[in-house]
Amino acid sequence: MKDIKLLVPDLPESISTAILLKWKKKCGEFVKLDEILVEIETDKIILEISAPIAGILHKKIFLEGELVKSKDILGIIQNSNNQIILKEKNKPVIIKSIQKNLKQSKKLKLHNITHLSPSNRRLQRFHELHNNKNRNLNLKEISKNTKNISNINHFSKNLDFKKNENNSYQLNLSIKSHNDNIQKIPMSPIRKKIAERLSLTQKNSVMLTTFNEVNMSSIIKIKNKYCDFFQEKYNIRLGYMSFFVKAVIEALKKFPILNSSKEKDTIIYHKFYNISIAVSTSRGLLTPVLKNAQNMTMSDIEKKIKYFSKIGESGKLQFEDLQDGTFTITNGGIFGSLFSTPIINPPQVAILGMNNIQKRPIAIQDKIKIQPMMYLSLTYDHQIIDGQQSIKFLKYIVEILQDFSKIML
């Protein structure tokens, strides 16, 4: 019998620790080669760690919720050279000795808890009876051993039985009361990192936000006219974000200072345009990057954004997907935001905020007309960028969006 160590993979230098999110197998269970065995969560993504060999999960060194580092030993897998695997209908069947261990590992035991009140001990007997072979026991039979059936119903809702490593159940003494009005949940790694980065930005930059508004009627006409053609040719829906990415790139070419980054007392100018797109997921806000977006078509942009949204929700974004952005676009308008003051994504020096499109009366050639209007917000680091540059930059974006033919010229 040979022991194989299950290791945490190499993490990037910017990530010191990760949290063990979930074990997929229990101790004593058989694992296949390359079967996903553990999930760990960094401050950016979820990593899936697969079994390096086929064997039995013998030991777990780290448990769910604990912090791990690169090359930490997560657990031990036992590999037997004498292990016999039979095939039945193309499915592996484990030898009887292993099957016996698996059956034993599934047996449930309830620890004797002597410090509970009489009503809680009645509940304990209820669970012992419930886990026996006779699963047809009704409340009348149980009531012979209890004075008040309502106690069982009450405590069964509020007591929490947790399963231990030895596959037995033990009462979690943090009993939830039906009168509790609060719930305490630890911050996830990604939420901690977001808080850390936002605090760092507030501390190390002088942020100022300038606003403008854009008449979206021209973009809406183009979108409505070519949406079916675009969908049929590229198999992707034409959205607003690709228009904004194109407009931003043209504006960055004219005002390169907004495509720079700050490194201590140095300003780094980038001759490429890596546009970070803010994507909201159930785990938090992520900003995957459209690398070299100046070389992407509008269909390329829409497909990449859809891809980022899909894998971002599942937590399967790669580290390289989140690195090396030079400018960020965030769209709070999809949630109904009318105004926003977005926070810079360091080490970048500016971020553009899109907002909700609303029909409003505006003056066009001395006539009042109802037009679809959007407020734009540009937050920038005043240490690096002057107000004049930021205002002209945002105004140029507005001009492009209101006459998108400028892109071709």
Side-chain angles (χ1 to χ4, degrees), residues 105-132:
S105 70
K106 292 181 180 178
K107 290 183 179 180
L108 306 179
K109 294 181 180 179
L110 190 66
H111 282 326
N112 290 326
I113 305 172
T114 59
H115 57 275
L116 295 180
S117 65
S119 57
N120 287 357
R121 289 198 294 271
R122 287 196 294 273
L123 175 63
Q124 177 190 343
R125 289 195 294 273
F126 168 77
H127 278 272
E128 289 175 332
L129 291 169
H130 183 70
N131 286 319
N132 286 337

Side-chain angles (χ1 to χ4, degrees), residues 41-177:
E41 183 181 26
T42 72
D43 54 22
K44 295 181 178 179
I45 62 173
I46 294 176
L47 292 175
E48 294 179 334
I49 302 175
S50 56
I53 61 164
I56 301 298
L57 179 58
H58 174 64
K59 186 178 181 181
K60 297 178 182 179
I61 307 296
F62 289 90
L63 302 180
E64 293 177 2
E66 294 185 330
L67 292 177
V68 297
K69 300 178 181 179
S70 295
K71 299 302 181 183
D72 274 349
I73 302 173
L74 295 173
I76 304 296
I77 301 175
Q78 286 186 341
N79 177 31
S80 173
N81 295 328
N82 299 322
Q83 180 177 296
I84 301 173
I85 302 293
L86 304 176
K87 288 190 176 181
E88 179 179 320
K89 297 181 180 180
N90 298 323
K91 294 183 179 180
V93 180
I94 310 171
I95 56 174
K96 291 183 178 179
S97 61
I98 299 176
Q99 287 178 329
K100 184 178 180 180
N101 291 334
L102 288 175
K103 289 179 180 179
Q104 290 177 350
S105 70
K106 292 181 180 178
K107 290 183 179 180
L108 306 179
K109 294 181 180 179
L110 190 66
H111 282 326
N112 290 326
I113 305 172
T114 59
H115 57 275
L116 295 180
S117 65
S119 57
N120 287 357
R121 289 198 294 271
R122 287 196 294 273
L123 175 63
Q124 177 190 343
R125 289 195 294 273
F126 168 77
H127 278 272
E128 289 175 332
L129 291 169
H130 183 70
N131 286 319
N132 286 337
K133 293 182 179 179
N134 186 3
R135 295 186 177 274
N136 296 319
L137 292 173
N138 55 42
L139 290 177
K140 290 183 179 179
E141 292 173 292
I142 299 171
S143 65
K144 295 177 182 178
N145 298 319
T146 59
K147 294 181 179 179
N148 191 348
I149 283 296
S150 63
N151 287 337
I152 289 181
N153 296 329
H154 170 73
F155 283 103
S156 63
K157 293 178 181 178
N158 294 290
L159 287 178
D160 182 17
F161 286 86
K162 286 192 173 181
K163 195 173 183 181
N164 295 331
E165 277 300 297
N166 58 3
N167 294 308
S168 62
Y169 281 98
Q170 188 171 17
L171 181 65
N172 177 19
L173 295 179
S174 58
I175 299 175
K176 299 178 181 179
S177 170

Side-chain angles (χ1 to χ4, degrees), residues 166-217:
N166 58 3
N167 294 308
S168 62
Y169 281 98
Q170 188 171 17
L171 181 65
N172 177 19
L173 295 179
S174 58
I175 299 175
K176 299 178 181 179
S177 170
H178 65 280
N179 292 325
D180 286 347
N181 292 319
I182 62 172
Q183 183 180 15
K184 295 182 179 180
I185 301 175
M187 291 175 68
S188 65
I190 188 171
R191 180 54 57 188
K192 288 181 181 178
K193 190 63 177 181
I194 289 173
E196 177 186 322
R197 288 176 66 85
L198 293 181
S199 299
L200 184 66
T201 304
Q202 295 276 16
K203 181 180 179 180
N204 295 330
S205 62
V206 179
M207 288 191 292
L208 188 64
T209 304
T210 184
F211 300 93
N212 211 319
E213 62 178 353
V214 54
N215 188 337
M216 293 292 290
S217 58

Side-chain angles (χ1 to χ4, degrees), residues 361-371:
I362 63 170
I364 300 178
Q365 296 179 349
D366 296 331
K367 293 182 180 180
I368 301 298
K369 293 186 178 181
I370 304 297
Q371 295 292 306

Side-chain angles (χ1 to χ4, degrees), residues 218-234 236-239 243 298 404:
S218 175
I219 297 298
I220 292 173
K221 286 178 183 177
I222 296 173
K223 185 174 177 294
N224 291 340
K225 183 177 180 179
Y226 295 105
C227 62
D228 293 338
F229 166 80
F230 197 87
Q231 176 77 43
E232 183 179 345
K233 183 171 183 178
Y234 301 111
I236 189 72
R237 187 178 67 86
L238 178 61
F243 290 97
M298 293 183 70
F404 204 68

